[in-house]
């Protein structure tokens, strides 16, 4: 089992046990071809772009938005009395 690529060394074992029985080049080629984490990275980049866009819109229209919400709160308070 120690020669398999999926073997994980315990904290007290040497790190080199992980690579015993396989060549480093084979491991790195498999690592580069592995696409399991690509989707998560794409979603993270997309979320970052959305945050930047919302921040830019909020900064650009902050005065207008403040006026709209102030007006809305005033009307709600007037309707409650």
């Amino acid at each position: 089992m120690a020669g398999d690529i999926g073997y994980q060394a315990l904290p007290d074992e040497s790190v080199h046990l992980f690579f015993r029985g396989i060549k480093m080049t084979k491991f790195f080629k498999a690592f580069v071809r592995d696409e399991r984490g690509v989707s998560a990275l794409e979603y993270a980049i997309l979320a970052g772009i959305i945050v930047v866009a919302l921040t830019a819109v909020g900064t650009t229209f902050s005065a207008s938005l403040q006026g709209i919400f102030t007006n809305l709160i005033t009307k709600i308070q007037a309707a409650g009395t």
Side-chain angles (χ1 to χ4, degrees), residues 7-72:
Y7 176 77
Q8 299 261 340
L10 297 175
D12 59 343
E13 292 179 309
S14 300
V15 177
H16 76 276
L17 288 177
F18 180 80
F19 298 108
R20 187 171 41 182
I22 62 171
K23 293 185 178 185
M24 291 294 290
T25 55
K26 183 178 178 183
F27 172 76
F28 285 119
K29 285 180 184 178
F31 180 75
V32 169
R33 285 192 304 259
D34 187 9
E35 296 183 3
R36 287 181 284 187
V38 174
S39 295
L41 181 63
E42 290 170 350
Y43 286 126
I45 291 171
L46 183 61
I49 291 170
I50 291 171
V51 167
V52 168
L54 288 175
T55 303
V57 168
T59 303
T60 303
F61 298 109
S62 64
S64 299
L65 290 174
Q66 184 177 3
I68 290 170
F69 282 110
T70 302
N71 188 19
L72 181 65

